[in-house]
Amino acid sequence: MVNIITIYKLLLHGLLKLVGMTQRTIEIEPGTILNIWVPKKTTKKHAVVLLHPFGFDGILTWQFQVLALAKTYEVYVPDFLFFGSSVTDRPDRTASFQAECMAKGLRKLGVEKCTLVGVSYGGMVGFKMAEMYPDLVESMVVTCSVMGLTESVSNAALERIGYESWVDFLLPKTADALKVQFDIACYKLPTLPAFVYKHILE
């Protein structure tokens, strides 16, 4: 059976090109490549950078916001390292490393100032970017996030959602476990057929 998420992404990519977006890869350093959706033409419009949560890549997370904002702003939608098509051979897994790579990628694209919009993990990386690069981050919009994930915050959150570790919650191994993750993470998620969860997991 053909994976419907793969087909949907092809259609979405075509739609994004119609609204003036294009996909770029930026080499941050040898072995570290950032995948990012950018405006086809740069203008004097304000730059808005959309930072995704743990899970989907940037464009699947922010597709509707990109379609709504692309005419008014210069919209940038990166995939964090280890998500989508962004990769690195470095062992670093910290929010600081993600922030460093996002900032370097934006600088290589000529972005001097921006508004960051982050949800969950994207908010954590956004806070780190604002701390490390205050000249780049002009303002922020953050939801469902914390400035830093301390052990006490982490333990309280895990207890609230009924999991023993973030690995169990964030890296589901079955379509049923993925559905539970979506039910916890999403407000009033519409009912989806079981095969959709299987295709997402693939």
Side-chain angles (χ1 to χ4, degrees), residues 37-108:
W37 281 87
V38 303
K40 284 182 188 173
K41 295 178 184 175
T42 56
T43 65
K44 296 292 183 186
K45 296 176 184 174
H46 187 74
V48 174
V49 180
L50 304 174
L51 302 175
H52 66 84
F54 197 97
F56 282 137
D57 63 14
I59 210 63
L60 275 175
T61 299
W62 296 108
Q63 56 190 297
F64 301 113
Q65 289 78 10
V66 172
L67 297 174
L69 298 172
K71 288 184 181 178
T72 310
Y73 300 96
E74 283 192 5
V75 180
Y76 296 83
V77 188
D79 290 339
F80 286 129
L81 297 169
F82 317 108
F83 295 86
S85 300
S86 293
V87 296
T88 186
D89 56 9
R90 284 183 49 181
D92 198 334
R93 301 294 190 263
T94 64
S96 297
F97 180 54
Q98 294 279 15
E100 176 189 337
C101 292
M102 295 302 114
K104 285 181 178 177
L106 290 168
R107 295 275 199 225
K108 287 188 176 205

Side-chain angles (χ1 to χ4, degrees), residues 16-27:
L16 290 165
K17 289 175 182 176
L18 289 176
V19 299
M21 301 290 290
T22 189
Q23 196 171 17
R24 295 267 311 269
T25 54
I26 308 292
E27 185 176 47

Side-chain angles (χ1 to χ4, degrees), residues 22 48 85 106 108 112 115-116 140 147 153 155-156 178 187 199 202:
T22 189
V48 174
S85 300
L106 290 168
K108 287 188 176 205
E112 295 178 5
T115 293
L116 295 180
M140 294 181 66
M147 292 182 77
V153 169
N155 290 341
L178 180 65
Y187 178 71
H199 287 192
E202 289 171 1

Side-chain angles (χ1 to χ4, degrees), residues 155-180:
N155 290 341
L158 284 169
E159 184 178 338
R160 195 166 47 252
I161 63 175
Y163 281 81
E164 291 187 12
S165 77
W166 286 112
V167 171
D168 293 339
F169 176 66
L170 294 172
L171 300 172
K173 292 181 173 61
T174 67
D176 288 340
L178 180 65
K179 182 182 184 315
V180 171

